[in-house]
Amino acid sequence: MVLKKNELINTTGGALTASLFNAVVKGFMFIFDLGKSVGSSISRIINKNYC
């Protein structure tokens, strides 16, 4: 398939793809889980509940 110059100029692509969206969501979930585990550790240290 050969495109003409006008067709190449008018070609648009999606900036927000599903893979980008999934990467952002996974990043937020990682930060959320990290915060939960750190908060849980701090709570256990404060309450001296190590079991």
Side-chain angles (χ1 to χ4, degrees):
M1 180 171 154
V2 178
L3 297 176
K4 296 178 184 177
K5 187 174 182 178
N6 291 341
E7 292 172 332
L8 288 173
I9 292 172
N10 292 330
T11 303
T12 58
L16 297 175
T17 60
S19 60
L20 177 65
F21 181 71
N22 285 336
V24 169
V25 169
K26 284 183 182 181
F28 281 130
M29 291 302 293
F30 174 74
I31 292 171
F32 181 74
D33 289 339
L34 186 65
K36 279 194 334 188
S37 64
V38 168
S40 189
S41 297
I42 291 172
S43 176
R44 283 205 236 171
I45 290 171
I46 290 173
N47 294 329
K48 296 181 182 176
N49 184 8
Y50 302 113
C51 186

